[in-house]
Amino acid sequence: MPVLVITGTGTEVGKTVTTAAVAAAAVAAGRSVAVLKAAQTGVRPDERGDADEVARLAGAVTTAELARYPEPLAPATAARRAGMTPVRPQDVADAAGKLAAAHDLVLVEGAGGLLVRFDEAGGTLADAAQLLRAPVLVVATAGLGTLNTTELTARELRFRGVELLGIVIGGWPDSPDLAMRCNVTDLPDVAGAPLLGALPMGAGALDPAGFRAAAPGWLAPRLNGTWDGEVFRGREAADGGA
């Protein structure tokens, strides 16, 4: 798995922090890691972007960003409004391929969800994953509504013949409600792929040293971690029945 594409079921689902956790766990396992942000929107040239945040949290990773647009919009719209050249799926595939030649693992982080448009031709992160023949990790929310958006994302990947590696919950609260506890069981069923981790709510606010030390415990062995999904589900079920 030299390249892993990371997408979300929507915006603000914890995609960047999850990318940082996957990177930190891989670095802790002795792997060299590069993080590619396909298109950064809503950030000025002098501001820190998502790739910078991943590096801050994860540590010794190589970062790259293909384009940056000032308005917080879909990349295609942001590029058009700014009069700038859009990112195309082939650009993402080419950049990831070059990084893969020098790193054990390349994480490609998208913008928003799987089908957010990069360019005027309708190119998406899903197209880039197809070009790369890379698996996709989907970051989902924990609560009500997540089953629908997760299943839609999984169906699109299957339709395209792209491997869905698994699902990670981008933010798990200290006191999950009934829907959240049920979703732990239901998410793998609707996605047709395993649950590979759950990040605690507010993980991105940890200091970098604490984040790096804790990250492997949030992720399954498939992602270089130690998280046990069966134990997690059992604990949440027991807490919910208390």
Side-chain angles (χ1 to χ4, degrees), residues 163-179:
E163 178 189 355
L164 172 53
L165 186 72
I167 310 297
V168 170
I169 296 173
W172 187 258
D174 290 334
S175 300
D177 61 24
L178 176 61

Side-chain angles (χ1 to χ4, degrees), residues 10 13 16 24 33 35 51 71 78 96 98 106 119 185 191-192 210-211 217 221 239:
V13 298
T16 296
V33 179
V35 177
E71 295 179 314
K98 290 177 181 177
V106 178
D119 59 28
T185 298
F211 183 92
D239 290 346

Side-chain angles (χ1 to χ4, degrees), residues 8-205:
T9 54
T11 59
E12 305 299 325
V13 298
K15 186 169 66 272
T16 296
V17 178
T18 298
T19 301
V22 174
V27 169
R31 305 180 72 185
S32 59
V33 179
V35 177
L36 174 64
K37 181 67 178 181
Q40 177 72 65
T41 65
V43 177
R44 297 192 309 268
D46 60 336
E47 290 183 307
R48 295 174 60 84
D50 291 344
D52 299 312
E53 180 64 5
V54 171
R56 183 185 75 83
L57 291 170
V61 299
T62 300
T63 60
E65 184 183 277
L66 291 186
R68 176 173 289 207
Y69 307 112
E71 295 179 314
L73 302 168
T77 305
R80 184 182 72 244
R81 286 178 52 86
M84 299 172 67
T85 302
V87 171
R88 304 190 189 281
Q90 189 64 58
D91 299 331
V92 180
D94 290 345
K98 290 177 181 177
L99 289 168
H103 297 83
D104 298 324
L105 176 64
V106 178
L107 304 176
V108 180
E109 182 185 346
L114 182 69
L115 298 183
V116 169
R117 295 190 171 196
F118 284 158
D119 59 28
E120 70 283 357
T124 66
L125 187 68
D127 295 313
Q130 284 182 292
L131 290 169
L132 285 162
R133 299 182 180 179
V136 174
L137 181 69
V138 173
V139 182
T141 58
L144 200 64
T146 195
L147 299 181
N148 179 64
T149 53
T150 300
E151 184 166 2
L152 287 171
T153 302
R155 286 189 181 191
E156 180 65 21
L157 290 169
R158 285 196 297 271
F159 174 76
R160 291 169 174 265
V162 176
E163 178 189 355
L164 172 53
L165 186 72
I167 310 297
V168 170
I169 296 173
W172 187 258
D174 290 334
S175 300
D177 61 24
L178 176 61
M180 294 174 180
R181 294 194 301 271
C182 290
N183 287 341
V184 171
T185 298
D186 294 339
L187 274 169
D189 288 341
V190 302
L195 188 63
L196 294 180
L199 273 65
M201 198 72 74

Side-chain angles (χ1 to χ4, degrees), residues 216-232:
W218 304 330
L219 302 169
R222 187 73 178 85
L223 296 173
N224 298 290
T226 59
W227 183 84
D228 189 321
E230 292 299 325
V231 171
F232 180 78

